[in-house]
Amino acid sequence: QVQLVESGGGLVRPGGSLRLSCSVSGIDFPRNALGWYRQGPGQTRDLVGTIASGLGTYYSDFVSGRFTISRDNFKNTVDLQMNSLKPEDTAVYYCKALSYPDSWGPGTQVTVSS
């Protein structure tokens, strides 16, 4: 059974940074591509970016070089470093094992506000 637990969210001022982490269990972690998604108030759940088993990354256009996804195949964690945060980045952030479309963690709330 896939389990995903996100952490690291919180309240940050515009221009600030946060680092989110996701602990993953129940899968062959090193062999799986992983992704981060987000869902803002009244919005759809959108892809932030992905990281392949071979460490290649993809980011949605709105990231604009501000976010970085990394993974630790020994700790079975995937992180999302977010810099230059904007109010529109306010959302619940979720990680996901891309081969398991129905498995979601509880998410972690990120609020960007002055």
Side-chain angles (χ1 to χ4, degrees), residues 36-90:
W36 280 95
Y37 289 74
R38 71 183 190 184
Q39 186 167 15
Q43 299 180 4
T44 59
R45 190 170 297 186
D46 297 328
L47 177 67
V48 173
T50 63
I51 185 166
S53 57
L55 303 183
T57 53
Y58 165 83
Y59 299 96
S60 292
D61 289 344
F62 63 79
V63 169
S64 300
R66 301 178 297 130
F67 298 175
T68 303
I69 297 175
S70 59
R71 63 189 295 163
D72 187 325
N73 287 342
F74 294 100
K75 296 181 179 178
N76 285 14
T77 57
V78 56
D79 289 356
L80 176 64
Q81 176 66 43
M82 303 187 294
N83 300 325
S84 302
L85 283 162
K86 305 174 182 179
E88 52 263 43
D89 294 317
T90 295

Side-chain angles (χ1 to χ4, degrees), residues 28-40:
D28 186 351
F29 185 89
R31 294 178 180 270
N32 273 268
L34 304 160
W36 280 95
Y37 289 74
R38 71 183 190 184
Q39 186 167 15

